[in-house]
Amino acid sequence: MAVEPDTKRATSRMAKSTQYKMKQSRPPRGQRLFRVPISIAAIFVGLAAAASFVSADRLNLDRVPILGTMNDPGPIAGTASVVDGDTIEVHGQRIRFNGIDAPESRQNCNDAKGFEYPCGRRSAEALDGFLAASRPVKCSFVTWDRYGRYVGDCRRADGASVAAWMVEHGQALDWPKYSNGAFSSQQAKAKASKVGLWVGSFQTPWDWRVQQIGDGQTTSAPVFAFGSGNADCNIKGNISVDGNRIYHVPGQKYYSVTIINQAKGERWFCSEADAVAAGWRRSKR
């Protein structure tokens, strides 16, 4: 069957129109060349960012405080709860007294007759009684230790120095490593008067901790810095970058690299039950 000339011309015009539309729908040649590489690059960038985030979250590297980079939080005042003979907690902030060291909570000493007694508990009880006599307590900031803990000079409402009183009454010792002998005169007076620890014999708290670690009777919690937890309260309540509250117990994979910064709401716990009750969950590793 023969095709009329007008029909041939119409068919030719339709074919050309279709080719033109196809060309218009394509991207320019340069964009076609680089579309695939750009997409691949975007995927790799996304994967790298995700890996970086996961790594930082697992190791809590953003939680590692560096001395000199944390702001001065200023003084803290309020009714204190006693943690042990050299540590209190005010408004959820644990505060370590500057320049002194008291017996650990589980530490025992010998009295004048050689009988063993719980000097760590006695020290804490003495501190509690002293603070209760004139509230509130006010602490001025000295520094953050390398674990992100608040170290302060604290006084009762009547102006009495808490650290000086504890040393003068034999309930704590001057710690030359950090005090530069600031409480040496109070300690000399306590020793001469045979009060508190000086009534009998005792091991210095810093030596006692070393002895306990050497005997394998304590955990790997750090002990040679202010506010680093103690043998009884060594569970680390960390807050991850995405706000998850996770606690770590000694022996877990990330315990040693987890740094507690109470200024950011992190804290120490004395038991896993306490941690769970406060809203923390146990680390999976």
Side-chain angles (χ1 to χ4, degrees), residues 200-223:
S201 60
F202 62 90
Q203 190 174 25
T204 62
W206 49 88
D207 286 338
W208 184 88
R209 290 189 293 262
V210 172
Q211 180 68 44
Q212 293 302 299
I213 292 174
D215 290 343
Q217 297 176 6
T218 62
T219 68
S220 58
V223 294

Side-chain angles (χ1 to χ4, degrees), residues 240-279:
S240 67
V241 291
D242 53 359
N244 290 324
R245 300 186 174 217
I246 302 170
Y247 68 85
H248 302 260
V249 299
Q252 288 192 300
K253 184 173 182 179
Y254 298 115
Y255 182 86
S256 62
V257 297
T258 299
I259 308 300
I260 298 304
N261 182 355
Q262 289 192 325
K264 295 183 178 180
E266 298 174 335
R267 55 184 293 190
W268 295 85
F269 292 101
C270 299
S271 70
E272 291 193 61
D274 290 342
V276 172

Side-chain angles (χ1 to χ4, degrees), residues 11 13 23 28 44 47 58 68 87 105 115 164 234 262:
T11 302
R13 285 197 299 271
K23 288 181 180 180
F44 278 109
L47 290 174
R58 284 184 177 180
T87 309
S105 298
F115 292 106
N234 54 16
Q262 289 192 325

Side-chain angles (χ1 to χ4, degrees), residues 126-127 129-130 156 160-171 186:
L127 173 60
F130 176 69
R156 294 193 314 187
S161 167
V162 179
W165 186 90
M166 289 293 288
V167 175
E168 185 173 345
H169 288 78
Q171 300 299 335
Q186 288 89 346

Side-chain angles (χ1 to χ4, degrees), residues 1-15:
M1 177 180 178
V3 180
E4 295 296 330
D6 289 342
T7 303
K8 288 182 178 180
R9 283 195 294 271
T11 302
S12 176
R13 285 197 299 271
M14 289 177 64

Side-chain angles (χ1 to χ4, degrees), residues 97-110:
F97 300 143
N98 183 43
I100 69 170
D101 199 10
E104 296 294 328
S105 298
R106 296 190 300 109
Q107 186 172 348
N108 292 323
C109 302
N110 294 323

Side-chain angles (χ1 to χ4, degrees), residues 118-137:
C119 54
R121 290 212 307 268
R122 293 279 181 85
S123 175
E125 291 167 358
L127 173 60
D128 188 56
F130 176 69
L131 294 176
S134 182
R135 292 173 174 158
V137 66

